[in-house]
Amino acid sequence: MTKHTTARPAWAEAAAGDPDLAPALDLLKLAESGLLCRHAGAQRIASRLLRWLEMDGADVPLDVFIGLAGTGQRAARQRMRLGTRDALIRRLAQTTYPTLNYKAGGDKIARSWCRYAAGDLRRDLASGTVPHREPAQTFFSLARRGHEPLSKHTIRKILARQADHLNPVEPASGKDENFPERGASDDEDDKAKAPCSSR
């Protein structure tokens, strides 16, 4: 088991009773508890969190310090975001279009997503009203997470992967929205146009 320091940061002694520092104290308690966890990965994160707190937060954001944020598409935060997107799309296909294969399901989801984005989405976001029916409910959830409609090619790739395959489908560009790589699509028309352009 890794040996960890358990000395409390100097600021913690004066923080008791200060409501502005209550969240930092709670974070400190969480980190101290994490050191007692049997899981080595949890101990590592707890140790990093303690170091960050000992440095008074330093000039490094916490998510960067513990390794959640980074540059490029393979940063943990981006992969978590894309993994959630992919899971929502797979669930939609399984519950709303269970009889369709991944190609037909991908095409149907892409068309429906574009229609919703061009129609009721703005009104629903402005009112904060969550649609009660699918597929609008999933599209609304994706939009609130910052996702825009994807091409049918990308949705097909997402649906073709097994649910236990944890690597999300990553965009070729830095944006969430992506277009198929050259030669990757079954449909030449899909490569040339944006996902929601008129056909």
Side-chain angles (χ1 to χ4, degrees):
M1 185 177 287
T2 309
K3 187 177 180 180
H4 302 279
T5 60
T6 54
R8 299 194 109 203
W11 58 263
E13 301 306 319
D18 185 339
D20 292 334
L21 285 176
L25 277 175
D26 291 341
L27 206 54
L28 178 60
K29 291 172 189 169
L30 179 66
E32 290 170 339
S33 299
L35 292 180
L36 304 176
C37 181
R38 293 181 180 178
H39 189 274
Q43 287 182 356
R44 279 193 301 275
I45 293 295
S47 182
R48 287 182 194 168
L49 181 52
L50 275 177
R51 283 199 305 274
W52 185 80
L53 289 165
E54 288 165 1
M55 295 164 40
D56 308 329
D59 293 325
V60 183
L62 177 59
D63 56 352
V64 173
F65 196 83
I66 65 174
L68 272 181
T71 56
Q73 297 171 10
R74 302 198 70 81
R77 179 188 286 165
Q78 174 72 346
R79 291 173 64 76
M80 289 162 55
R81 184 172 179 269
L82 296 180
T84 299
R85 178 203 68 187
D86 294 0
L88 287 171
I89 290 171
R90 283 193 197 101
R91 187 186 68 192
L92 176 63
Q94 291 163 0
T95 59
T96 308
Y97 310 113
T99 61
L100 299 181
N101 64 27
Y102 76 93
K103 285 187 177 182
D107 294 356
K108 180 83 170 172
I109 289 171
R111 283 194 305 273
S112 299
W113 196 351
C114 286
R115 272 198 303 272
Y116 178 70
D120 295 336
L121 174 61
R122 186 172 295 171
R123 180 201 65 203
D124 291 345
L125 286 174
S127 67
T129 304
V130 180
H132 295 295
R133 295 187 178 192
E134 291 289 12
Q137 191 174 76
T138 294
F139 299 148
F140 179 82
S141 180
L142 287 164
R144 290 215 327 201
R145 288 173 164 85
H147 297 289
E148 295 179 3
L150 299 173
S151 70
K152 67 183 181 183
H153 171 73
T154 301
I155 297 173
R156 286 176 181 178
K157 282 172 64 176
I158 291 168
L159 298 182
R161 293 198 173 181
Q162 295 298 320
D164 61 352
H165 192 299
L166 298 180
N167 291 328
V169 174
E170 297 190 36
S173 69
K175 296 181 179 179
D176 177 48
E177 173 46 53
N178 65 72
F179 303 101
E181 302 87 10
R182 293 283 173 199
S185 176
D186 299 340
D187 186 344
E188 287 297 313
D189 188 49
D190 194 27
K191 290 186 292 186
K193 293 185 177 181
C196 294
S197 60
S198 57
R199 299 281 176 185

